[in-house]
Amino acid sequence: MPSRSSKDHDFTTVARRVVEQAIGEHLDGTPLEDPNKGKNPAAVALGKLGGAKGGKARAKALSPKQRIDIARIAAEARWKKG
């Protein structure tokens, strides 16, 4: 993951980004970059659909013991970091 500069966290920079997203264009009137440009629209739609139901569907398919084991491993990993 690329490192972020302190400029990315500056209050005015974040506020400007929020306003631009709200109005749908840059403050100078140029359109915002399309994050889905060059992507297959059908693939994007399928990805959103699968992402929305993925965790719930996986949890439903697992047995209670499997869920407990997964949670235990995750908790151990979190405690190792600290």
Side-chain angles (χ1 to χ4, degrees):
M1 177 180 240
S3 63
R4 291 184 165 185
S5 69
S6 60
K7 187 175 97 173
D8 292 338
H9 300 291
D10 179 35
F11 174 77
T12 54
T13 305
V14 173
R16 179 184 178 119
R17 229 179 274 143
V18 169
V19 170
E20 289 175 342
Q21 288 294 320
I23 63 174
E25 61 184 27
H26 291 288
L27 293 179
D28 62 4
T30 58
L32 294 174
E33 297 80 24
D34 183 12
N36 294 327
K37 183 179 179 181
K39 295 182 181 177
N40 181 341
V44 170
L46 279 174
K48 287 181 181 176
L49 177 65
K53 66 180 181 180
K56 291 180 184 177
R58 180 170 185 250
K60 198 174 185 181
L62 294 172
S63 72
K65 182 180 180 339
Q66 288 173 314
R67 286 197 307 272
I68 289 169
D69 290 342
I70 291 168
R72 183 179 300 112
I73 291 168
E76 287 172 1
R78 283 192 303 272
W79 281 100
K80 276 185 183 179
K81 287 183 183 179

